[in-house]
PDB file of all heavy atoms in Angstrom:
ATOM      1  N   LYS R 176      11.162  43.957  -8.698  1.00  0.00           N
ATOM      2  CA  LYS R 176      11.839  44.191  -7.384  1.00  0.00           C
ATOM      3  C   LYS R 176      12.817  45.355  -7.581  1.00  0.00           C
ATOM      4  O   LYS R 176      13.407  45.466  -8.755  1.00  0.00           O
ATOM      5  CB  LYS R 176      12.565  42.941  -6.929  1.00  0.00           C
ATOM      6  CG  LYS R 176      11.623  41.821  -6.669  1.00  0.00           C
ATOM      7  CD  LYS R 176      12.446  40.519  -6.321  1.00  0.00           C
ATOM      8  CE  LYS R 176      11.478  39.313  -6.023  1.00  0.00           C
ATOM      9  NZ  LYS R 176      12.250  38.088  -5.737  1.00  0.00           N
ATOM     10  N   GLY R 177      12.929  46.234  -6.672  1.00  0.00           N
ATOM     11  CA  GLY R 177      13.790  47.381  -6.849  1.00  0.00           C
ATOM     12  C   GLY R 177      14.569  47.732  -5.547  1.00  0.00           C
ATOM     13  O   GLY R 177      14.221  47.402  -4.445  1.00  0.00           O
ATOM     14  N   VAL R 178      15.636  48.437  -5.809  1.00  0.00           N
ATOM     15  CA  VAL R 178      16.536  48.913  -4.713  1.00  0.00           C
ATOM     16  C   VAL R 178      16.997  50.318  -5.029  1.00  0.00           C
ATOM     17  O   VAL R 178      17.023  50.789  -6.191  1.00  0.00           O
ATOM     18  CB  VAL R 178      17.748  48.070  -4.529  1.00  0.00           C
ATOM     19  CG1 VAL R 178      17.296  46.683  -3.972  1.00  0.00           C
ATOM     20  CG2 VAL R 178      18.590  47.830  -5.791  1.00  0.00           C
ATOM     21  N   LEU R 179      17.453  51.062  -4.008  1.00  0.00           N
ATOM     22  CA  LEU R 179      17.973  52.486  -4.158  1.00  0.00           C
ATOM     23  C   LEU R 179      19.391  52.542  -3.625  1.00  0.00           C
ATOM     24  O   LEU R 179      19.741  51.949  -2.645  1.00  0.00           O
ATOM     25  CB  LEU R 179      17.049  53.424  -3.377  1.00  0.00           C
ATOM     26  CG  LEU R 179      15.691  53.815  -3.975  1.00  0.00           C
ATOM     27  CD1 LEU R 179      14.979  54.685  -2.981  1.00  0.00           C
ATOM     28  CD2 LEU R 179      15.911  54.545  -5.255  1.00  0.00           C
ATOM     29  N   GLY R 180      20.181  53.438  -4.277  1.00  0.00           N
ATOM     30  CA  GLY R 180      21.533  53.739  -3.847  1.00  0.00           C
ATOM     31  C   GLY R 180      21.765  55.221  -3.870  1.00  0.00           C
ATOM     32  O   GLY R 180      21.213  55.914  -4.815  1.00  0.00           O
ATOM     33  N   VAL R 181      22.439  55.680  -2.917  1.00  0.00           N
ATOM     34  CA  VAL R 181      22.663  57.145  -2.796  1.00  0.00           C
ATOM     35  C   VAL R 181      24.219  57.444  -2.645  1.00  0.00           C
ATOM     36  O   VAL R 181      24.884  56.727  -1.839  1.00  0.00           O
ATOM     37  CB  VAL R 181      21.923  57.766  -1.610  1.00  0.00           C
ATOM     38  CG1 VAL R 181      22.199  59.291  -1.514  1.00  0.00           C
ATOM     39  CG2 VAL R 181      20.399  57.558  -1.738  1.00  0.00           C
ATOM     40  N   CYS R 182      24.732  58.417  -3.305  1.00  0.00           N
ATOM     41  CA  CYS R 182      26.067  58.924  -3.090  1.00  0.00           C
ATOM     42  C   CYS R 182      26.099  60.396  -2.819  1.00  0.00           C
ATOM     43  O   CYS R 182      25.691  61.229  -3.669  1.00  0.00           O
ATOM     44  CB  CYS R 182      26.948  58.583  -4.318  1.00  0.00           C
ATOM     45  SG  CYS R 182      28.663  59.003  -4.102  1.00  0.00           S
ATOM     46  N   GLU R 183      26.449  60.753  -1.580  1.00  0.00           N
ATOM     47  CA  GLU R 183      26.489  62.230  -1.207  1.00  0.00           C
ATOM     48  C   GLU R 183      27.796  62.847  -1.628  1.00  0.00           C
ATOM     49  O   GLU R 183      28.825  62.270  -1.790  1.00  0.00           O
ATOM     50  CB  GLU R 183      26.385  62.292   0.348  1.00  0.00           C
ATOM     51  CG  GLU R 183      25.131  61.763   0.915  1.00  0.00           C
ATOM     52  CD  GLU R 183      23.950  62.687   0.764  1.00  0.00           C
ATOM     53  OE1 GLU R 183      24.252  63.913   0.389  1.00  0.00           O
ATOM     54  OE2 GLU R 183      22.824  62.344   1.062  1.00  0.00           O
ATOM     55  N   GLY R 184      27.732  64.185  -1.849  1.00  0.00           N
ATOM     56  CA  GLY R 184      28.882  64.925  -2.273  1.00  0.00           C
ATOM     57  C   GLY R 184      28.561  66.417  -2.537  1.00  0.00           C
ATOM     58  O   GLY R 184      27.600  66.919  -1.832  1.00  0.00           O
ATOM     59  N   HIS R 185      29.342  67.058  -3.387  1.00  0.00           N
ATOM     60  CA  HIS R 185      29.012  68.542  -3.603  1.00  0.00           C
ATOM     61  C   HIS R 185      29.438  68.812  -5.034  1.00  0.00           C
ATOM     62  O   HIS R 185      30.132  68.021  -5.728  1.00  0.00           O
ATOM     63  CB  HIS R 185      29.826  69.494  -2.667  1.00  0.00           C
ATOM     64  CG  HIS R 185      31.307  69.434  -2.856  1.00  0.00           C
ATOM     65  ND1 HIS R 185      32.181  68.491  -2.207  1.00  0.00           N
ATOM     66  CD2 HIS R 185      32.140  70.190  -3.612  1.00  0.00           C
ATOM     67  CE1 HIS R 185      33.405  68.751  -2.575  1.00  0.00           C
ATOM     68  NE2 HIS R 185      33.414  69.811  -3.402  1.00  0.00           N
ATOM     69  N   ILE R 186      28.906  69.984  -5.521  1.00  0.00           N
ATOM     70  CA  ILE R 186      29.213  70.417  -6.880  1.00  0.00           C
ATOM     71  C   ILE R 186      30.333  71.405  -6.901  1.00  0.00           C
ATOM     72  O   ILE R 186      30.224  72.453  -6.115  1.00  0.00           O
ATOM     73  CB  ILE R 186      27.920  71.053  -7.523  1.00  0.00           C
ATOM     74  CG1 ILE R 186      26.776  70.095  -7.462  1.00  0.00           C
ATOM     75  CG2 ILE R 186      28.211  71.442  -8.946  1.00  0.00           C
ATOM     76  CD1 ILE R 186      26.961  68.797  -8.172  1.00  0.00           C
ATOM     77  N   ARG R 187      31.372  71.170  -7.653  1.00  0.00           N
ATOM     78  CA  ARG R 187      32.468  72.101  -7.761  1.00  0.00           C
ATOM     79  C   ARG R 187      32.169  73.176  -8.732  1.00  0.00           C
ATOM     80  O   ARG R 187      31.146  73.069  -9.494  1.00  0.00           O
ATOM     81  CB  ARG R 187      33.819  71.428  -8.088  1.00  0.00           C
ATOM     82  CG  ARG R 187      33.819  70.640  -9.349  1.00  0.00           C
ATOM     83  CD  ARG R 187      35.248  70.094  -9.641  1.00  0.00           C
ATOM     84  NE  ARG R 187      36.044  71.132 -10.194  1.00  0.00           N
ATOM     85  CZ  ARG R 187      37.340  71.236 -10.069  1.00  0.00           C
ATOM     86  NH1 ARG R 187      38.035  70.327  -9.368  1.00  0.00           N
ATOM     87  NH2 ARG R 187      38.049  72.196 -10.606  1.00  0.00           N
ATOM     88  N   CYS R 188      32.964  74.257  -8.831  1.00  0.00           N
ATOM     89  CA  CYS R 188      32.579  75.396  -9.615  1.00  0.00           C
ATOM     90  C   CYS R 188      32.977  75.304 -11.116  1.00  0.00           C
ATOM     91  O   CYS R 188      32.475  76.086 -11.898  1.00  0.00           O
ATOM     92  CB  CYS R 188      33.338  76.634  -9.053  1.00  0.00           C
ATOM     93  SG  CYS R 188      32.746  77.087  -7.393  1.00  0.00           S
ATOM     94  N   ASP R 189      33.776  74.346 -11.386  1.00  0.00           N
ATOM     95  CA  ASP R 189      34.120  74.059 -12.871  1.00  0.00           C
ATOM     96  C   ASP R 189      34.369  72.642 -13.110  1.00  0.00           C
ATOM     97  O   ASP R 189      34.782  71.913 -12.205  1.00  0.00           O
ATOM     98  CB  ASP R 189      35.395  74.930 -13.252  1.00  0.00           C
ATOM     99  CG  ASP R 189      36.535  74.654 -12.350  1.00  0.00           C
ATOM    100  OD1 ASP R 189      36.392  74.167 -11.167  1.00  0.00           O
ATOM    101  OD2 ASP R 189      37.692  74.753 -12.817  1.00  0.00           O
ATOM    102  N   PRO R 190      34.184  72.221 -14.367  1.00  0.00           N
ATOM    103  CA  PRO R 190      34.345  70.767 -14.689  1.00  0.00           C
ATOM    104  C   PRO R 190      35.786  70.293 -14.562  1.00  0.00           C
ATOM    105  O   PRO R 190      36.710  71.111 -14.844  1.00  0.00           O
ATOM    106  CB  PRO R 190      33.831  70.631 -16.105  1.00  0.00           C
ATOM    107  CG  PRO R 190      33.063  71.864 -16.359  1.00  0.00           C
ATOM    108  CD  PRO R 190      33.681  72.984 -15.555  1.00  0.00           C
ATOM    109  N   ALA R 191      36.001  69.118 -14.226  1.00  0.00           N
ATOM    110  CA  ALA R 191      37.361  68.517 -14.162  1.00  0.00           C
ATOM    111  C   ALA R 191      37.237  66.982 -14.456  1.00  0.00           C
ATOM    112  O   ALA R 191      36.328  66.307 -13.871  1.00  0.00           O
ATOM    113  CB  ALA R 191      37.970  68.787 -12.801  1.00  0.00           C
ATOM    114  N   GLY R 192      38.113  66.545 -15.278  1.00  0.00           N
ATOM    115  CA  GLY R 192      38.218  65.094 -15.565  1.00  0.00           C
ATOM    116  C   GLY R 192      37.580  64.705 -16.904  1.00  0.00           C
ATOM    117  O   GLY R 192      36.683  65.418 -17.376  1.00  0.00           O
ATOM    118  N   GLU R 193      38.042  63.625 -17.446  1.00  0.00           N
ATOM    119  CA  GLU R 193      37.523  63.121 -18.733  1.00  0.00           C
ATOM    120  C   GLU R 193      36.761  61.808 -18.701  1.00  0.00           C
ATOM    121  O   GLU R 193      36.248  61.427 -19.741  1.00  0.00           O
ATOM    122  CB  GLU R 193      38.702  62.973 -19.688  1.00  0.00           C
ATOM    123  CG  GLU R 193      39.634  64.227 -19.883  1.00  0.00           C
ATOM    124  CD  GLU R 193      38.852  65.288 -20.577  1.00  0.00           C
ATOM    125  OE1 GLU R 193      37.992  65.022 -21.471  1.00  0.00           O
ATOM    126  OE2 GLU R 193      39.130  66.478 -20.361  1.00  0.00           O
ATOM    127  N   SER R 194      36.758  61.173 -17.596  1.00  0.00           N
ATOM    128  CA  SER R 194      36.062  59.884 -17.483  1.00  0.00           C
ATOM    129  C   SER R 194      34.576  60.126 -17.148  1.00  0.00           C
ATOM    130  O   SER R 194      34.080  61.210 -16.893  1.00  0.00           O
ATOM    131  CB  SER R 194      36.744  59.024 -16.335  1.00  0.00           C
ATOM    132  OG  SER R 194      36.077  57.758 -16.275  1.00  0.00           O
ATOM    133  N   GLY R 195      33.848  58.967 -17.190  1.00  0.00           N
ATOM    134  CA  GLY R 195      32.391  59.009 -16.785  1.00  0.00           C
ATOM    135  C   GLY R 195      31.482  59.713 -17.868  1.00  0.00           C
ATOM    136  O   GLY R 195      31.907  59.847 -18.969  1.00  0.00           O
ATOM    137  N   PHE R 196      30.338  60.172 -17.391  1.00  0.00           N
ATOM    138  CA  PHE R 196      29.352  60.792 -18.283  1.00  0.00           C
ATOM    139  C   PHE R 196      28.382  61.594 -17.402  1.00  0.00           C
ATOM    140  O   PHE R 196      28.507  61.583 -16.202  1.00  0.00           O
ATOM    141  CB  PHE R 196      28.608  59.753 -19.082  1.00  0.00           C
ATOM    142  CG  PHE R 196      27.859  58.712 -18.242  1.00  0.00           C
ATOM    143  CD1 PHE R 196      26.478  58.895 -17.923  1.00  0.00           C
ATOM    144  CD2 PHE R 196      28.491  57.578 -17.789  1.00  0.00           C
ATOM    145  CE1 PHE R 196      25.870  58.002 -17.187  1.00  0.00           C
ATOM    146  CE2 PHE R 196      27.844  56.650 -17.020  1.00  0.00           C
ATOM    147  CZ  PHE R 196      26.458  56.850 -16.716  1.00  0.00           C
ATOM    148  N   GLY R 197      27.479  62.345 -18.095  1.00  0.00           N
ATOM    149  CA  GLY R 197      26.596  63.099 -17.326  1.00  0.00           C
ATOM    150  C   GLY R 197      27.183  64.264 -16.562  1.00  0.00           C
ATOM    151  O   GLY R 197      28.035  64.914 -17.079  1.00  0.00           O
ATOM    152  N   TYR R 198      26.794  64.309 -15.290  1.00  0.00           N
ATOM    153  CA  TYR R 198      27.318  65.458 -14.440  1.00  0.00           C
ATOM    154  C   TYR R 198      28.612  64.965 -13.687  1.00  0.00           C
ATOM    155  O   TYR R 198      29.089  65.748 -12.787  1.00  0.00           O
ATOM    156  CB  TYR R 198      26.252  65.801 -13.404  1.00  0.00           C
ATOM    157  CG  TYR R 198      25.007  66.339 -13.924  1.00  0.00           C
ATOM    158  CD1 TYR R 198      23.884  65.535 -14.256  1.00  0.00           C
ATOM    159  CD2 TYR R 198      24.840  67.683 -14.234  1.00  0.00           C
ATOM    160  CE1 TYR R 198      22.690  66.057 -14.753  1.00  0.00           C
ATOM    161  CE2 TYR R 198      23.694  68.264 -14.845  1.00  0.00           C
ATOM    162  CZ  TYR R 198      22.608  67.378 -15.101  1.00  0.00           C
ATOM    163  OH  TYR R 198      21.420  67.839 -15.639  1.00  0.00           O
ATOM    164  N   ASP R 199      29.220  63.906 -14.060  1.00  0.00           N
ATOM    165  CA  ASP R 199      30.426  63.396 -13.345  1.00  0.00           C
ATOM    166  C   ASP R 199      31.535  64.444 -13.225  1.00  0.00           C
ATOM    167  O   ASP R 199      32.235  64.445 -12.182  1.00  0.00           O
ATOM    168  CB  ASP R 199      30.972  62.082 -13.999  1.00  0.00           C
ATOM    169  CG  ASP R 199      30.115  60.890 -13.812  1.00  0.00           C
ATOM    170  OD1 ASP R 199      29.140  60.996 -13.052  1.00  0.00           O
ATOM    171  OD2 ASP R 199      30.462  59.873 -14.358  1.00  0.00           O
TER     172      ASP R 199
END
């Protein structure tokens, strides 16, 4: 069984922040 989730947003021009992983 499976489900989908989506989070909309935009890409900023330079990285910011130290938490998370990947493209966060």
Side-chain angles (χ1 to χ4, degrees):
K176 299 176 181 177
V178 292
L179 284 174
V181 180
C182 183
E183 297 281 350
H185 69 271
I186 304 299
R187 56 175 283 151
C188 294
D189 56 333
E193 302 295 328
S194 181
F196 58 95
Y198 298 94
D199 285 358

